[in-house]
Amino acid sequence: MSEATGGYGRGRDRDEEGRARSARPRDGLGRPLPYGAPGVARQPEGVVRAPGETVREAQRLLDAGMPFHAHEVFEDAWKSGPGGERELWQGLAQLAVGLTHAARGNATGGARLLRRGAGRVAGYADGGGETYGVDVPGLVAWAEELAGRVGPGVADGTAPPDAAAEAPRLTGGRGGADRRTAD
């Protein structure tokens, strides 16, 4: 049922090509807001970027506390890039969505996606393919640590993690160092 029209199918929000696409504004974590509410600009779909540009744009969005939007950047890369890189970009997208779900308070879904994304990118750790400077071992460790922490933390009443504070460093190593100092 379309909230905009109160009916089914007819009057649905559509994009320029006629595909169904909600025009509802979204918050920084991609959650729909009421029509007319101020929202965060969406990432344009289908943008073809060089791999380094993809990583830089996704990092900018992660640092801004917008992992849902970073996921969309990675999604463009997996759809437009070579098939041999699909697992890398899909895994990175799943890590971003895992952080999104955790920050939204969906501890179970967040932990599951973080682990699934870590599993996908882990194959690139030891020469499994081009990584474009992405610190795969650091991201796998980050994802496993956060997944282990968010499930029980959110379930026992602890506030969901802050997406910007928990955002990983995609390049340059994360290790035990503060991510803001690792360039």
Side-chain angles (χ1 to χ4, degrees):
M1 179 175 222
S2 170
E3 190 174 316
T5 64
Y8 289 94
R10 294 176 199 219
R12 288 180 70 185
D13 298 333
R14 302 218 175 252
D15 64 14
E16 295 80 35
E17 286 84 40
R19 294 177 301 213
R21 180 172 167 95
S22 176
R24 287 175 65 181
R26 304 275 174 162
D27 71 5
L29 292 174
R31 293 176 289 216
L33 299 170
Y35 284 99
V40 174
R42 291 183 175 197
Q43 284 299 115
E45 288 185 36
V47 176
V48 178
R49 299 173 180 86
E53 184 183 355
T54 295
V55 172
R56 284 188 299 278
E57 178 63 7
Q59 186 69 66
R60 182 187 71 76
L61 293 163
L62 289 167
D63 290 345
M66 298 169 51
F68 179 81
H69 297 77
H71 141 269
E72 292 177 329
V73 170
F74 289 133
E75 188 174 288
D76 284 341
W78 103 54
K79 289 180 177 178
S80 66
E85 296 176 2
R86 185 178 177 103
E87 286 293 303
L88 174 67
W89 300 119
Q90 281 186 330
L92 292 170
Q94 286 177 324
L95 293 175
V97 171
L99 177 57
T100 299
H101 280 280
R104 287 178 177 176
N106 177 1
T108 302
R112 184 176 298 129
L113 282 161
L114 286 164
R115 288 188 176 108
R116 190 178 303 153
R120 271 207 153 112
V121 301
Y124 288 80
D126 295 320
E130 178 61 57
T131 63
Y132 303 103
V134 171
D135 175 21
V136 173
L139 282 176
V140 169
W142 165 83
E144 292 295 337
E145 188 274 331
L146 183 58
R149 205 167 20 95
V150 296
V154 175
D156 71 6
T158 302
D162 177 86
E166 294 289 348
R169 231 24 238 153
L170 297 174
T171 60
R174 184 174 196 305
D178 177 58
R179 65 171 210 85
R180 301 253 177 229
T181 61
D183 288 326

